[in-house]
Amino acid sequence: MSLVAAHDLRLSYGDTPALDGCSLSVEAGERVAMMGPSGSGKSTLLHCLAGVLRPDAGTVMFDGVDVVPLSESRRSRLRLERMGVVFQFGDLVPELSLAENVMLPAQLLGMSSARARSRALALLDELGVADVAHRRAGTVSGGQAQRAAVARAIVHEPAVVYADEPTGSLDTVNAELVLDALVDLTGRSGAALVVVTHDHQVAAHLDRLVTMRDGRVTQPAGVGA
Ligand code: ADP
Ligand code: ADP
């Protein structure tokens, strides 16, 4: 059984179809790059996989459970427990320090503050932002914030990390750092990764490339999709 299996998703924003019979499967631990033209539905698909958006039709099986019919609160809980997400413009809490932002998911899941803090600091250190770990997220650079967003997505050892153009707002050097971190950390923890990217070099480093066009996955959608 695949970790994630989305089948025949349809979603329109008013009259604009964003997903039009879209299917994708992701195996446990598999790292997938997703490419495709702007407007082809990549963001919308990721939001459906993460249970943020509910498609108009179709199923999103996560570890054997269809998340589509679940209530908002059950989807949020599942996301917190089993998934990590990184968006293009980090969505850190600007008033909290980087360390506090990274600690949050672990604490919400019941980890002690001391343990969450030491994990957060270790991750931030590894990502090269230990020196700004105590600065408020609203005051650090985009590259520093995105590295913290990666740490936050992985701190609670999720089964899968969804990243939507996590480096879209960064210069080349920072983009490489952030992507390397995502790939390394998911690899080490055994988490699956689905990352939307425009960078073919990134795609070449992952297990599989899928391409979206007009609201569908047009290239190998994965086992059983
Ligand atoms: P991609 O991530 O590949 O750029 P999106 O999923 O963002 O694609 O968008 C797919 C289609 O849905 C596009 O036509 C886009 O303009 C439209 N769309 C996305 N989000 C919204 C929204 N919130 N309201 C209306 N249309 C949207
Ligand atoms: P991406 O980087 O994935 O291509 P977009 O630039 O398409 O993202 O979209 C950025 C944000 O704007 C998203 O939250 C998306 O939902 C929203 N959006 C995209 N297209 C539209 C649209 N036509 N109308 C309203 N919101 C949109």
Side-chain angles (χ1 to χ4, degrees):
M1 183 181 73
S2 302
L3 176 67
V4 180
H7 183 67
D8 203 15
L9 299 183
R10 289 165 201 280
L11 187 150
S12 296
Y13 299 99
D15 290 338
T16 309
L19 298 179
D20 183 21
C22 183
S23 298
L24 177 70
S25 295
V26 181
E27 306 308 307
E30 187 183 30
R31 287 173 295 172
V32 177
M34 186 182 294
M35 302 186 84
S38 182
S40 58
K42 305 179 299 295
S43 270
T44 303
L45 173 57
L46 235 57
H47 282 82
C48 287
L49 295 180
V52 177
L53 275 178
R54 194 181 246 163
D56 303 326
T59 52
V60 178
M61 305 301 290
F62 177 83
D63 206 7
V65 175
D66 185 4
V67 306
V68 174
L70 299 181
S71 67
E72 174 82 46
S73 66
R74 288 195 59 201
R75 280 181 281 138
S76 297
R77 182 75 199 173
L78 186 63
R79 192 159 57 243
L80 173 65
E81 286 177 345
R82 308 287 313 275
M83 306 178 196
V85 292
V86 187
F87 294 111
Q88 183 169 353
F89 303 101
D91 50 343
L92 300 176
V93 182
E95 296 79 18
L96 297 182
S97 72
L98 293 191
E100 287 164 340
N101 268 283
V102 176
M103 289 166 66
L104 262 184
Q107 284 181 297
L108 286 170
L109 290 170
M111 195 183 287
S112 73
S113 290
R115 183 133 177 272
R117 177 170 295 275
S118 80
R119 280 185 65 88
L121 291 175
L123 278 170
L124 290 169
D125 185 31
E126 194 172 346
L127 292 170
V129 284
D131 52 330
V132 289
H134 298 291
R135 282 190 34 198
R136 276 183 289 123
T139 68
V140 303
S141 74
Q144 291 167 336
Q146 277 308 66
R147 278 183 266 174
V150 168
R152 187 187 52 178
I154 201 91
V155 68
H156 54 306
E157 298 185 332
V160 61
V161 174
Y162 296 115
D164 187 0
E165 295 195 53
T167 62
S169 60
L170 305 180
D171 60 57
T172 314
V173 171
N174 275 300
E176 255 173 50
L177 277 167
V178 166
L179 268 162
D180 284 351
L182 255 183
V183 173
D184 285 354
L185 291 174
T186 48
R188 202 187 324 152
S189 71
L193 171 67
V194 182
V195 55
V196 173
T197 177
H198 290 295
D199 186 338
H200 284 276
Q201 278 187 317
V202 170
H205 280 101
L206 301 186
D207 301 320
R208 183 157 59 103
L209 168 65
V210 299
T211 305
M212 279 199 75
R213 181 159 211 104
D214 299 333
R216 294 177 200 208
V217 172
T218 59
Q219 271 179 27
V223 186

